[in-house]
Amino acid sequence: MNDPYIVLAAILFTIGLVGFLIRRNALVIFMSVELMLNACNLVFISMSQVHGILDGQVAAFFVMVVAAAEVVVGLSIILMIYRSRRSTSVDNLTAMKH
Amino acid sequence: MTLLETLDPVAATGAFAFAWLLIAIPAAIAALLLIAGKVTNGFGHFIATLAPFASFVLAVVYFADLLGADPSERAVELTLFTWISSGAWTLTAGLLIDPLSILFVLLITFVGGLIHIYSIGYMAHDPNRRRFFAYLNLFIAAMLILVLADSYLVLFIGWEGVGLASYLLISFWQERPSAATAGKKAFVVNRIGDLGLLMAIFSMLMLFGTTNFQAVDAGAELIPGHWATLIGFFLLLAACGKSAQVPLQSWLLDAMEGPTPVSALIHAATMVTAGVYLVVRSNALYAQTPTAQIAVALVGTVTLLAGAWIGCAKDDIKKVLAGSTMSQIGYMILAAGIGPAGYAFAIFHLLTHGFFKATMFLGAGSVMHGMNDDTDMRRFGALRKAMPITFVTFAVGYLAIIGFPFFSGFYSKDHIIEAAWANQPVLGVLALIGAGVTAFYMTRLMFMTFLGQARWKDGVHPHESPLSMGVPLIILAVGSFIGGMALNGWIGGWLADAVGAEAPEHASWLPHITVLGIITLLVVAAGVALGWYLFGRQEIPTTAPAGSILTKIGRHDLYADTVNEAIFMRPGVALANGVATLDDVAIDGAVNASGRLPGALGGRVKLLENGYVRTYGLTMVCGAVLVGLSLALSRLV
């Protein structure tokens, strides 16, 4: 009875993954990462429901906290990059190339 | 095996407590001249000349003390300091003054001092005279350490010091490639001998736990016979290296590249006698091993004949004398190989040889001085009028070396021939032949240099040398004349205890007339006559004739260098080249390849770092998928 949730989570994860791989805008990539994280959260909570234990829900909370912290740091980095380069395209950020 | 009579040394008291000054004086002067540098250019050679004489005066005092002492107390030991203290071993450094070493000290300091005086004149025009005198003093100091040491280990310091000084002096004119090469050759050949001495020292440390002469003498008869033989051969190898005995003789002839006083001091009077000293000092060991003793005697005999052969063939006056040095040292080694009966005679001949060979070498230097440094005897001749002092003193040396009655060599060489005849008749006969050959080549030298017609090169005006060179010649010549008579009746008894021999019955300065003595004289006379017949009657060509096969072999030093090159040098060079190639190709190749491999790998891997986030992301995804797959698969299994 939880299959639809798992399917939904898989769809969300795939959308996030593809977005992460093909988009150039750093903000969009960020959103895609969030999408994947939340897909994982959905699986955690569904499985918690299935097994009747709360571990999955605890894990989901952890993920949310970490994701929030990550957004704070990540968005400020992206903002700084935008300020200095007037662009958020990740293809221009190749300073770490060999 | 009987217990040998050896002297138990008494502790040093009184003047003997300052015996280290013998060594310290020349060593300090050498250091001063080398460190102070140009400041001492003006007076360096004078203080350097005083140093050996200061040591000589001190040595005379000690000699007088020993002479006055009871024969059983004629060995004085002065312990200087604890050198090595490690675990069970405590090795001390000390000096031993006994009848044997004091004779050497007297010879070294006196003849050495005269050679210093001579060098003042001989090296007067050399810009590096100060350095020369510093090296001479260094040599005297090293040689004194060698003979005064109370253990083989301390002796080894002097042994190496002598090798170093000899290297520095042979290649003194280092701007000449031949001199530089000769110095290196002497150094390398001496190293082979040093190997022998080192092995002997290691063996002694293993067997006795010390290298002190007394301890080794006392322990010699307690060790297994094969060890005594082995140490005997090690010491023989060492003696061969230092004393230029076959098969390590090849350096001596090249060593004539050094200034002539060096040839006189090092390669005639003192350094080359170190091997004889070593063998005589090790008499207790050799007493346990007849095999090694025979080997010593054989080496001596072979060398005395080889040296005489070379002496016959050379036209270079210094090389003739070098050959004769080899030959005379061969006599000493032969005498030392005979055993207790010969030790005193070896030392006796060593002392007389020190005088007459120094006379002749310095005389040769004087001739060269007057002949614009030419050494080719074919361009000499008729120098007796131009250089009367040199001629007379050289003639005394000549009479001494051939063993003319009442001259010093007459006494010392006859003893050796007689002792050899009594112990090993074959060696005695060979030594007798050697005496005849010696007479022949020395007569040849005399005729070619001082007598006959003048064959001087154009522009050469022979003249007598300055007084600073003449006076040492005269003193040495007097020593060459009276040395034999003075020592003949005395030296046997003096050395008897120190070398473990029995004191001889009363001997006097009068020659002991025996059948063998008369035969020896006849053989010598025959050699002189042959020399006169071939070189005294007729004009000597200024270019060397082709000569017989024997002459050719002699001119090439019996092909010793060729043999050494073929057996040791060429295979050695080939081996070194092979190893170098192996190193370059195989080892360097492997190391470089192991370095290049990660480099190349890294070059490929770094292409993945293209800076695009999505590439990193894809890599991550692939990794995650792989991890997930492997987890899933492991679940299935």
Side-chain angles (χ1 to χ4, degrees):
Chain A
M1 80 179 199
N2 281 302
D3 280 356
Y5 295 99
I6 301 300
V7 173
L8 177 62
I11 292 169
L12 283 176
F13 191 89
T14 310
I15 294 171
L17 182 61
V18 172
F20 172 70
L21 288 179
I22 65 172
R23 298 304 296 261
R24 294 201 176 102
N25 192 315
L27 270 175
V28 178
I29 289 178
F30 221 74
M31 284 158 63
S32 306
V33 171
E34 290 300 314
L35 212 53
M36 284 192 282
L37 284 173
N38 283 308
C40 295
N41 275 352
L42 195 55
V43 176
F44 275 129
I45 293 165
S46 309
M47 287 300 133
S48 167
Q49 190 77 23
V50 170
H51 295 298
I53 47 178
L54 287 175
D55 291 5
Q57 303 202 15
V58 173
F61 274 115
F62 270 101
V63 172
M64 272 188 244
V65 170
V66 173
E70 180 213 323
V71 166
V72 170
V73 179
L75 274 180
S76 38
I77 292 174
I78 291 169
L79 204 61
M80 292 307 293
I81 291 171
Y82 179 73
R83 275 197 190 159
S84 63
R85 304 197 173 209
R86 293 280 136 198
S87 150
T88 53
S89 168
V90 290
D91 282 6
N92 294 334
L93 304 176
T94 55
M96 301 286 275
K97 202 171 143 183
H98 63 79
Chain B
M1 291 183 196
T2 54
L3 196 74
L4 287 170
E5 287 262 339
T6 48
L7 288 176
D8 276 331
V10 295
T13 51
F16 282 105
F18 296 97
W20 51 272
L21 274 175
L22 284 171
I23 300 163
I25 296 170
I29 302 287
L32 174 74
L33 293 190
L34 287 176
I35 293 170
K38 285 180 189 153
V39 182
T40 54
N41 266 359
F43 58 92
H45 46 282
F46 291 118
I47 52 172
T49 306
L50 286 178
F53 282 111
S55 296
F56 176 68
V57 170
L58 207 54
V60 169
V61 172
Y62 295 150
F63 179 61
D65 267 15
L66 289 187
L67 211 54
D70 185 75
S72 64
E73 289 177 354
R74 276 186 183 157
V76 179
E77 189 163 30
L78 172 64
T79 306
L80 292 176
F81 55 88
T82 303
W83 187 11
I84 299 169
S85 180
S86 166
W89 282 350
T90 304
L91 304 178
T92 57
L95 304 180
L96 173 69
I97 302 172
D98 72 350
L100 179 60
S101 62
I102 197 71
L103 282 183
F104 269 87
V105 173
L106 289 171
L107 174 78
I108 294 160
T109 52
F110 184 65
V111 175
L114 290 176
I115 290 171
H116 275 71
I117 296 179
Y118 177 94
S119 304
I120 294 178
Y122 190 84
M123 301 297 281
H125 307 298
D126 197 291
N128 291 317
R129 178 162 68 164
R130 173 184 52 80
R131 191 161 58 89
F132 181 75
F133 275 90
Y135 292 163
L136 282 187
N137 270 14
L138 179 69
F139 169 78
I140 298 274
M143 192 71 200
L144 289 176
I145 295 177
L146 199 163
V147 297
L148 283 171
D150 73 339
S151 68
Y152 287 94
L153 207 55
V154 178
L155 179 144
F156 187 68
I157 302 175
W159 190 269
E160 289 300 299
V162 164
L164 168 70
S166 135
Y167 165 74
L168 292 171
L169 286 166
I170 294 171
S171 50
F172 181 73
W173 286 320
Q174 64 216 34
E175 64 277 4
R176 297 183 190 168
S178 58
T181 313
K184 275 186 276 184
K185 186 175 179 184
F187 203 73
V188 169
V189 176
N190 267 292
R191 289 278 81 68
I192 301 170
D194 296 346
L195 174 74
L197 187 52
L198 273 177
M199 296 304 286
I201 288 174
F202 296 155
S203 311
M204 287 170 194
L205 283 175
M206 189 192 75
L207 293 166
F208 309 114
T210 171
T211 62
N212 192 284
F213 290 141
Q214 267 69 46
V216 172
D217 287 355
E221 57 194 60
L222 305 174
I223 59 173
H226 63 272
W227 271 109
T229 308
L230 203 58
I231 296 177
F233 274 100
F234 285 149
L235 291 173
L236 174 61
L237 179 66
C240 282
K242 206 51 109 196
S243 291
Q245 299 295 293
V246 173
L248 300 179
Q249 83 289 7
S250 61
W251 65 272
L252 187 70
L253 291 153
D254 287 9
M256 295 301 128
E257 285 295 334
T260 307
V262 172
S263 309
L265 176 63
I266 299 190
H267 309 124
T270 50
M271 168 178 155
V272 288
T273 60
V276 183
Y277 173 78
L278 186 69
V279 174
V280 174
R281 183 55 93 188
S282 314
N283 57 71
L285 269 167
Y286 279 106
Q288 308 302 320
T289 164
T291 322
Q293 258 186 342
I294 290 285
V296 172
L298 273 178
V299 164
T301 312
V302 169
T303 310
L304 83 86
L305 291 173
W309 188 348
I310 292 170
C312 291
K314 292 283 182 182
D315 288 331
D316 181 323
I317 185 167
K318 283 180 76 179
K319 298 248 163 131
V320 175
L321 291 176
S324 113
T325 297
M326 258 177 75
S327 172
Q328 300 303 311
I329 307 274
Y331 274 106
M332 299 168 207
I333 294 278
L334 164 63
I338 290 168
Y343 289 134
F345 302 144
I347 301 301
F348 186 17
H349 195 56
L350 192 155
L351 293 174
T352 59
H353 174 256
F355 274 90
F356 65 67
K357 189 49 69 65
T359 313
M360 285 193 286
F361 258 115
L362 295 186
S366 175
V367 168
M368 287 162 60
H369 195 77
M371 300 294 284
N372 294 354
D373 285 334
D374 196 4
T375 55
D376 186 1
M377 293 195 299
R378 294 193 179 275
R379 306 312 299 256
F380 292 169
L383 289 176
R384 69 184 180 285
K385 290 199 187 94
M387 303 179 168
I389 298 178
T390 309
F391 169 63
V392 172
T393 51
F394 204 104
V396 173
Y398 161 73
L399 293 173
I401 193 174
I402 67 169
F404 194 80
F406 302 108
F407 284 72
S408 60
F410 167 69
Y411 294 93
S412 53
K413 201 190 282 181
D414 267 15
H415 282 316
I416 295 179
I417 294 172
E418 269 175 42
W421 172 257
N423 283 268
Q424 303 282 342
V426 180
L427 301 185
V429 170
L430 292 174
L432 189 60
I433 294 170
V437 182
T438 305
F440 167 70
Y441 69 74
M442 288 312 297
T443 309
R444 171 176 179 270
L445 186 151
M446 285 302 281
F447 274 116
M448 288 178 87
T449 305
F450 291 104
L451 306 171
Q453 299 298 312
R455 300 176 301 276
W456 307 335
K457 284 183 184 160
D458 297 334
V460 171
H461 304 288
H463 53 86
E464 188 53 270
S465 301
L467 215 55
S468 65
M469 291 162 72
V471 171
L473 278 176
I474 294 169
I475 297 174
L476 286 169
V478 171
S480 308
F481 177 50
I482 62 168
M485 282 184 266
L487 297 176
N488 189 36
W490 169 80
I491 192 162
W494 172 255
L495 284 174
D497 283 338
V499 299
E502 283 173 21
E505 66 270 35
H506 184 69
S508 76
W509 66 274
L510 276 169
H512 184 58
I513 296 172
T514 58
V515 178
L516 195 61
I518 293 167
I519 294 175
T520 309
L521 273 182
L522 288 176
V523 170
V524 167
V528 173
L530 187 64
W532 169 79
Y533 181 77
L534 289 178
F535 297 97
R537 297 182 315 147
Q538 59 210 22
E539 189 69 0
I540 294 159
T542 50
T543 49
S548 65
I549 181 86
L550 290 178
T551 315
K552 280 179 187 154
I553 295 174
R555 275 186 196 144
H556 288 94
D557 308 341
L558 313 188
Y559 292 102
D561 285 342
T562 319
V563 170
N564 283 347
E565 269 181 29
I567 298 181
F568 301 109
M569 195 198 89
R570 287 185 206 291
V573 169
L575 184 68
N577 282 338
V579 170
T581 313
L582 184 75
D583 181 46
D584 280 351
V585 175
I587 296 178
D588 280 12
V591 170
N592 288 342
S594 71
R596 267 198 298 273
L597 186 68
L601 209 61
R604 292 300 159 95
V605 173
K606 82 178 178 189
L607 296 179
L608 296 175
E609 303 286 317
N610 57 9
Y612 291 113
V613 175
R614 57 175 173 279
T615 315
Y616 302 143
L618 188 61
T619 316
M620 237 160 73
V621 171
C622 292
V625 170
L626 273 178
V627 172
L629 273 179
S630 53
L631 280 177
L633 282 174
S634 66
R635 209 35 94 69
L636 285 180
V637 177

